[in-house]
Amino acid sequence: MSTPSGAPAVSRIPEAVHRRRWAILVVLMFSLLIVVLDNSILNVAVKTIASPSPTGIGATQSELEWAINSYTLVFAGLLFTAGLLGDRLGRKKVLLFGITLFGIGSALAALSDTPGQLITWRALMGFGAAFVMPATLAVLMNVFERDEQPKAIGIWAGSVGLGIAIGPITGGLLLEHFWWGSIFLVNVPVVIIALVAMALLVPDSRDPRPGRLDPVGVVLSIIGLVLLVYGIIRGGELADFTDVTVLLPVIGGLAVLVVFVLHEKRSASPAIDVSYFKKPAFSAAVAAIALVFFALMGVTFFSAFYMQSVRGWSALQSGLLILPLAVAQMLFAPRARIVVARFGARAVCTAGMLAVALGLAAFAFFDADTPVWIMCVVFFVQGTGMAHVMPPVTVAVMQALPREKAGSGSAVNNTFRQVGGALGIAVLGSVLSTVYRGDIENHLGALPAGARDAAGESIEATLAIAEKLGPKGAPLVTAAHDAFMSAMHVTALGSAAVALVGTLVVALWLPGREPAAPQAVREEERPAPAGAER
């Protein structure tokens, strides 16, 4: 390749790194996969963990929720800081630190004797994961040339979808053959393999001119995100976002984040240049990421109850039904760049968001006898839609920032993803719970007062009471299924509405098709190297 003047184009990436870039991507995907997988694998083990010893550890419903939420809370709260530290200290160092901590937390979680220990070690795993996810995308941006980044990001995004889908399958397989701690212990050998591969293959890179550290900005970002995510989680637990224990942390978190933005605008060495959010394409991209995961995580939440509690399928069978979503992600996400090159990011993402909305709306027409093949088609459509949304918007976010700030850009991308997902589970879970309680209450009058309150909490609680009643509980089972289906239909339409808002956002503000510039010109326009080492 040569420039118009005839001089050879200068490569951004050292030749030794360039030659092994695809092997590096495999290592990054491997690291990312176990983090994403573990975030979904626990959901299928909650019943086992709640069982008395020796089957489980006798965790209560609240303790189970915090075993899941402690990971989410620490993970989301530290994502931005972890990305910033990667830019300053070196992304490889941060990646190795994060995956090591994740492995240690996994081993300790597997050996937990009490729910309190499990919650603590899950928080440690979230701490490590916060340093892994942004670092993988930041390293990717520093080992691939700009013209190959969309393809690499498509593969990266596909591995995220794969992790979400195969988590329940892996968990179901392990629980059928081993004790509950195996879902965490399985991470340890994977972490060891990843550490060796990282040490041998992954190059280090950092921002060569990071400026002074912004400790005030870092602290404000952590406090603001932790308060906001805690309030969201608390609202989901109570199914009530007007409770004072929900409103105070949410309002406090938003207020701290506003102070964070104002501080960053005035700082001589900001942790993140907030002026990037003035660019419509950048803001639309991060909003689309949040809205997609808001809708997706919400539907993942209620579809698990639909498949297991209403249809009576096992955790493994339910997990296998989500495979079409993973297959669609792996097929189409790496190729999304080709469609974007032809039609433009705006058209592709708009069509993708519409496909996501269509898949979500389809749940409003499911009943207790919907054929399995129809469900597989719906999940495939959802996966196809996501595969044509996530890679283009991730490319838009990452390529809007200088390569030197790849860690910060990745942190912004993943923070919006995590907050959107947490909000989706909390808000849509609350809608599901509220509608279900309203419908089932009319069928609980014959139960004692204490049992009536407990049975109205969820479909699982209602079915547990009905099981204790024996044959007399059969009408209650039918009522529970009917009430849940009504609640799922309402929640599915709410999810689809959120996806339609995302469709509108990308249709209005993402850029359309850009005329192709000569390759040599694009080479000349690339910024200076970001300090990638051999």
Side-chain angles (χ1 to χ4, degrees):
M1 186 184 301
S2 62
T3 63
S5 64
V10 178
S11 175
R12 291 283 323 268
I13 311 297
E15 180 60 27
V17 174
H18 181 74
R19 284 198 304 266
R20 63 178 189 265
R21 64 197 186 282
W22 296 110
I24 293 169
L25 180 59
V26 171
V27 176
L28 297 177
M29 287 176 57
F30 202 53
S31 308
L32 179 67
L33 190 62
I34 59 170
V35 170
V36 175
L37 183 149
D38 193 81
N39 210 8
S40 60
I41 199 172
L42 183 60
N43 293 327
V44 302
V46 290
K47 288 184 179 180
T48 307
I49 295 172
S51 303
S53 181
T55 303
I57 52 176
T60 65
Q61 181 66 30
S62 176
E63 288 167 339
L64 287 171
E65 288 172 354
W66 274 109
I68 296 171
N69 294 337
S70 62
Y71 182 99
T72 302
L73 189 62
V74 176
F75 182 54
L78 289 176
L79 269 173
F80 180 76
T81 301
L84 183 67
L85 290 175
D87 286 343
R88 289 176 170 274
L89 303 178
R91 288 132 194 165
K92 179 176 181 177
K93 295 183 184 68
V94 163
L95 187 55
L96 290 170
F97 168 77
I99 200 74
T100 300
L101 208 59
F102 184 85
I104 294 171
S106 297
L108 293 170
L111 301 174
S112 298
D113 293 320
T114 65
Q117 290 177 5
L118 179 60
I119 292 168
T120 300
W121 303 134
R122 284 282 294 169
L124 182 64
M125 292 171 67
F127 194 106
F131 285 83
V132 174
M133 183 170 267
T136 59
L137 188 52
V139 170
L140 181 155
M141 297 300 291
N142 280 271
V143 299
F144 284 91
E145 296 284 6
R146 188 177 180 88
D147 57 344
E148 283 190 324
Q149 286 171 2
K151 180 179 181 180
I153 287 174
I155 296 171
W156 180 91
S159 68
V160 174
L162 180 65
I164 292 171
I166 68 173
I169 300 172
T170 306
L173 284 170
L174 289 170
L175 290 173
E176 282 192 359
H177 298 93
F178 305 102
W179 100 112
W180 68 268
S182 62
I183 65 172
F184 301 117
L185 198 61
V186 72
N187 293 333
V188 176
V190 179
V191 163
I192 293 171
I193 295 170
L195 283 171
V196 173
M198 282 179 206
L200 294 175
L201 293 173
V202 176
D204 204 0
S205 62
R206 62 173 66 109
D207 185 347
R209 295 178 296 275
R212 296 194 311 273
L213 186 65
D214 179 21
V216 175
V218 168
V219 171
L220 286 173
S221 71
I222 293 173
I223 294 173
L225 285 170
V226 168
L227 284 174
L228 176 61
V229 174
Y230 173 81
I232 291 169
I233 291 171
R234 181 65 177 161
E237 285 180 347
L238 300 176
D240 180 8
F241 281 83
T242 62
D243 189 272
V244 67
T245 61
V246 176
L247 288 176
L248 283 179
V250 167
I251 294 172
L254 290 173
V256 172
L257 290 175
V258 168
V259 174
F260 167 73
V261 171
L262 295 175
H263 169 76
E264 294 301 290
K265 291 175 69 174
R266 291 171 171 78
S267 175
S269 182
I272 180 69
D273 187 349
V274 294
S275 66
Y276 284 110
F277 286 92
K278 294 180 181 179
K279 300 178 180 181
F282 182 87
S283 294
V286 294
I289 289 169
L291 290 169
V292 164
F293 271 81
F294 181 102
L296 179 72
M297 296 309 289
V299 75
T300 301
F301 177 78
F302 67 66
S303 65
F305 286 102
Y306 167 70
M307 290 187 284
Q308 294 185 46
S309 300
V310 176
R311 303 300 294 262
W313 295 325
S314 69
L316 178 58
Q317 290 171 324
S318 301
L320 288 171
L321 276 170
I322 305 177
L323 266 181
L325 186 146
V327 170
Q329 289 260 40
M330 294 304 295
L331 281 177
F332 297 114
R335 297 171 175 80
R337 74 194 190 285
I338 301 172
V339 189
V340 171
R342 181 170 182 181
F343 299 105
R346 180 189 301 159
V348 172
C349 290
T350 299
M353 289 295 292
L354 281 173
V356 172
L358 180 65
L360 294 170
F363 276 88
F365 300 95
F366 283 8
D367 56 34
D369 300 310
T370 298
V372 169
W373 71 266
I374 292 180
M375 296 179 62
C376 290
V377 169
V378 168
F379 279 123
F380 189 83
V381 169
Q382 284 182 316
T384 302
M386 283 194 67
H388 288 90
V389 174
M390 295 312 297
V393 296
T394 303
V395 169
V397 171
M398 297 305 297
Q399 292 193 343
L401 276 68
R403 192 182 294 217
E404 297 81 23
K405 304 295 183 184
S408 299
S410 178
V412 169
N413 175 78
N414 288 301
T415 298
F416 274 80
R417 179 199 304 264
Q418 194 66 25
V419 172
L423 198 58
I425 292 173
V427 173
L428 296 176
S430 298
V431 171
L432 183 77
S433 178
T434 301
V435 177
Y436 176 80
R437 289 176 183 177
D439 285 353
I440 199 65
E441 277 179 359
N442 296 331
H443 301 275
L444 304 177
L447 297 175
R452 187 163 56 244
D453 292 340
E457 289 183 359
S458 65
I459 184 172
E460 284 295 320
T462 308
L463 294 177
I465 296 293
E467 186 177 359
K468 292 179 181 178
L469 295 175
K472 293 182 180 179
L476 188 56
V477 171
T478 302
H481 288 171
D482 292 342
F484 181 84
M485 294 305 300
S486 298
M488 187 182 81
H489 293 162
V490 172
T491 309
L493 292 176
S495 302
V498 171
L500 287 176
V501 171
T503 305
L504 187 62
V505 168
V506 297
L508 290 176
W509 289 296
L510 276 187
R513 183 183 178 189
E514 297 180 0
Q519 182 66 31
V521 174
R522 291 201 298 268
E523 288 284 348
E524 283 189 323
E525 290 176 347
R526 289 175 184 162
E533 299 170 8
R534 291 180 184 268

